[in-house]
Amino acid sequence: MATIKKKRTASAAKEYFSKIPQISYEGPTSKNPWAFKWYNPEELVEGKTMAEHLRFSVVYWHTFRGTGGDQFGMGTMLRPWDDGTESVENAQKRMRIAFQFMEKLGNPFWAFHDRDIAPEGSNLRQTNKNLDAVVKVAKEEMKRTGIKLLWGTSNLFGNPRYMHGAATSCNADAFAFAAAQVKKGMEVTHELGGGGFTFWGGREGYTTLLNTDLKRELDHLAKFFKMAVEYKKEIGFKGQFYIEPKPKEPTKHQYDSDAAACLNFLRQNGLLKDFKLNLETNHAMLAGHTMHHEMETAASAGALGSLDANTGDPMLGWDTDQFPTSIYETSLIMYTLMKYGGFTTGGVNFDAKVRRESFTPEDLFFAHIGGMDAFARGLKIAAAMRADGRLVEFVKDRYSSWDSGIGADIEKGKVGFKELSEYMLKKGNIAPNSSGRQEFLENMINEYIM
Ligand code: XUL
Ligand code: CO
């Protein structure tokens, strides 16, 4: 059950959101900015609660570590609980406040990178110790609130040691450090009962091919993943491994460039059974795809795992990670997700950040409320599309020439070029094509989106 219902004990830290009400469902006519208009966690859709369908998750990196800084200006965010230092004590306090925030919002899951939650020390041993100290607090807070870990991940891109990549670095020591880091990251994710572990190849790619041995780097990447799979078994971690595709940024080209590239890499290296994909809307856009396309590509290979929910700005060419607000987009995402049976271990993970001009803690609430409502509404629209069934019917009918006769013979492998040539020589020409009716179908989708 994904909803948090149990009565919780009080936070061990000062309450920072005491003036903010518990965010709850008030329905579409409500004008209250502190309420959900569509997300009603207990409401049943196709026999499952909205909370179970959507499995909302808050990310630690943007929501609690985002500064609002960009290439042209320093951070803007007001986070009154944060003393701005990189101390372990500050990190522990921040963790408690993060759980106060999530309790108010009512999301059932969260996600983090190792380095978001705890500062690095002067060496790996000290860094691991810092991580343990903050994980201890996270564990207490998860127990106190009932909020679960959707997935953990290791930041293998921020530290200068990873300037050439981590698993694909030209420096073997960088590979070794990354392995040690992922080992520890998996251990703490396991300790926190995480449902998965994500690999986003932040710098696993190149900025110029002139200095790059592409084949060697890809072989190393496969080796790294194989080691992770082995270690996962060794510690008995049952969570799902995910790869998160992204074509570029920070590198010019990332090896995990899109769903198809990831699937090819996994298949080539015998890793497809061990990984699913964590797809992100803004990454799909950067790859020149829709999220819908990425989801269909992953799902048709049985590798649709989890979703990083956000959106980009079509006027800007980079990963702006904005909160999702487009009902059209969320409807198609939910439609595709439901078509393939919904989440198992995955969820709708808000890998999204408030704009640097939206700098107060209240904005964190408005952003998430809007994203959750956009997805809840998308879920209802997708369910309406499915109940109506015209779209499924149309697609089924479009392929009906494959259900019998020559189509069925081709699918069953009963005929080859010789038989097909005989068939066509006898028939003379093909049966007439029917219209693809794109505009008709687009109009139909708009009927549901009201
Ligand atoms: C970067 C990105 C990451 C991953 C986790 O674009 O999406 O935050 O989700 O490393
Ligand atoms: Co992401």
Side-chain angles (χ1 to χ4, degrees):
M1 183 67 187
T3 344
I4 316 156
K5 268 196 289 193
K6 68 173 188 175
K7 178 108 184 70
R8 301 176 198 111
T9 47
S11 173
K14 182 186 150 199
E15 172 62 65
Y16 270 86
F17 307 111
S18 53
K19 293 203 180 73
I20 292 173
Q22 182 67 39
I23 312 301
S24 55
Y25 174 72
E26 289 188 2
T29 56
S30 168
K31 296 280 177 280
N32 179 3
W34 298 103
F36 296 120
K37 318 290 185 300
W38 298 91
Y39 180 56
N40 183 9
E42 303 302 324
E43 186 176 327
L44 291 179
V45 177
E46 293 190 12
K48 272 197 327 194
T49 66
M50 280 197 173
E52 287 166 333
H53 274 285
L54 295 161
R55 295 167 59 86
F56 286 128
S57 166
V58 166
V59 307
Y60 204 86
W61 54 98
H62 288 313
T63 297
F64 301 104
R65 302 313 309 276
T67 64
D70 66 15
Q71 301 95 310
F72 303 101
M74 58 181 70
T76 56
M77 295 299 155
L78 287 182
R79 301 291 179 252
W81 52 84
D82 205 304
D83 69 13
T85 68
E86 282 299 319
S87 73
V88 171
E89 294 68 33
N90 190 33
Q92 288 174 319
K93 180 176 178 198
R94 188 191 292 124
M95 182 62 73
R96 297 210 191 273
I97 307 308
F99 275 86
Q100 289 180 5
F101 171 85
M102 294 191 275
E103 267 188 287
K104 277 263 145 106
L105 185 66
N107 56 292
F109 295 95
W110 72 301
F112 72 92
H113 297 82
D114 45 9
R115 303 301 178 246
D116 313 328
I117 63 171
E120 285 210 53
S122 51
N123 55 45
L124 182 61
R125 197 174 301 281
Q126 185 57 49
T127 300
N128 288 348
K129 220 172 134 202
N130 293 353
L131 186 57
D132 285 334
V134 184
V135 164
K136 187 171 168 283
V137 175
K139 203 170 176 180
E140 280 171 27
E141 290 294 312
M142 286 173 68
K143 187 153 182 264
R144 183 180 73 76
T145 59
I147 296 171
K148 297 194 166 68
L149 179 61
L150 189 71
W151 48 260
T153 185
S154 287
N155 177 331
L156 303 177
F157 42 89
N159 192 291
R161 74 173 67 88
Y162 297 129
M163 64 170 70
H164 300 296
T168 64
S169 178
C170 49
N171 180 349
D173 264 1
F175 182 110
F177 199 104
Q181 191 179 328
V182 168
K183 173 181 176 289
K184 181 70 183 170
M186 276 167 59
E187 285 164 6
V188 302
T189 299
H190 185 35
E191 187 183 342
L192 294 174
F197 191 86
T198 294
F199 294 86
W200 170 58
R203 292 186 195 273
E204 313 294 25
Y206 58 80
T207 49
T208 172
L209 278 172
L210 293 175
N211 64 15
T212 303
D213 185 339
L214 185 140
K215 167 139 187 13
R216 207 166 182 182
E217 291 199 2
L218 284 169
D219 286 347
H220 293 168
L221 188 58
K223 270 210 165 59
F224 193 86
F225 286 141
K226 283 181 186 160
M227 289 180 193
V229 169
E230 243 170 61
Y231 192 65
K232 179 176 186 253
K233 283 192 194 123
E234 201 174 318
I235 61 173
F237 174 48
K238 297 276 183 307
Q240 175 65 51
F241 271 173
Y242 304 111
I243 294 194
E244 183 175 327
K246 183 177 182 181
K248 55 189 169 192
E249 203 197 295
T251 61
K252 168 198 176 95
H253 174 82
Q254 277 171 222
Y255 296 134
D256 310 332
S257 52
D258 63 2
C262 289
L263 292 171
N264 176 59
F265 172 84
L266 290 170
R267 228 178 247 125
Q268 186 178 345
N269 292 290
L271 285 161
L272 198 49
K273 59 185 183 323
D274 301 301
F275 286 81
K276 285 188 176 169
L277 302 186
N278 177 43
L279 301 168
E280 178 167 324
T281 318
N282 208 162
H283 296 178
M285 290 167 82
L286 292 179
H289 302 311
T290 59
M291 184 63 160
H292 199 187
H293 164 94
E294 289 292 83
M295 290 178 71
E296 284 284 349
T297 304
S300 54
L304 180 57
S306 196
L307 304 180
D308 271 9
N310 62 18
T311 193
D313 187 320
M315 307 296 280
L316 297 170
W318 69 86
D319 197 15
T320 56
D321 283 338
Q322 287 164 239
F323 275 83
T325 53
S326 160
I327 309 299
Y328 200 91
E329 201 155 49
T330 57
S331 300
L332 290 182
I333 290 173
M334 290 312 296
Y335 183 79
T336 313
L337 182 69
M338 291 161 91
K339 175 175 153 191
Y340 288 98
F343 290 124
T344 48
T345 52
V348 174
N349 183 48
F350 289 109
D351 190 357
K353 58 186 178 217
V354 288
R355 300 303 85 195
R356 80 194 293 275
E357 302 85 351
S358 308
F359 56 86
T360 76
E362 287 82 356
D363 294 303
L364 293 175
F365 281 96
F366 296 141
H368 284 89
I369 292 169
M372 289 160 86
D373 265 347
F375 266 89
R377 204 165 163 187
L379 166 64
K380 295 195 90 165
I381 291 166
M385 284 164 69
R386 282 159 61 80
D388 179 289
R390 275 181 293 163
L391 191 56
V392 174
E393 208 42 53
F394 183 90
V395 177
K396 193 166 166 274
D397 196 51
R398 187 162 182 249
Y399 290 87
S400 57
S401 71
W402 294 88
D403 296 335
S404 60
I406 198 70
D409 287 347
I410 297 171
E411 282 195 351
K412 285 186 192 130
K414 282 192 182 161
V415 290
F417 272 14
K418 266 199 326 239
E419 292 78 11
L420 292 173
S421 173
E422 274 161 30
Y423 168 80
M424 259 310 140
L425 285 169
K426 202 165 142 205
K427 192 163 183 182
N429 209 340
I430 71 166
N433 280 308
S434 35
S435 169
R437 299 253 188 270
Q438 180 170 335
E439 299 75 8
F440 163 87
L441 295 171
E442 286 167 347
N443 296 349
M444 202 167 87
I445 300 299
N446 280 351
E447 281 178 30
Y448 304 106
I449 300 177
M450 285 195 291

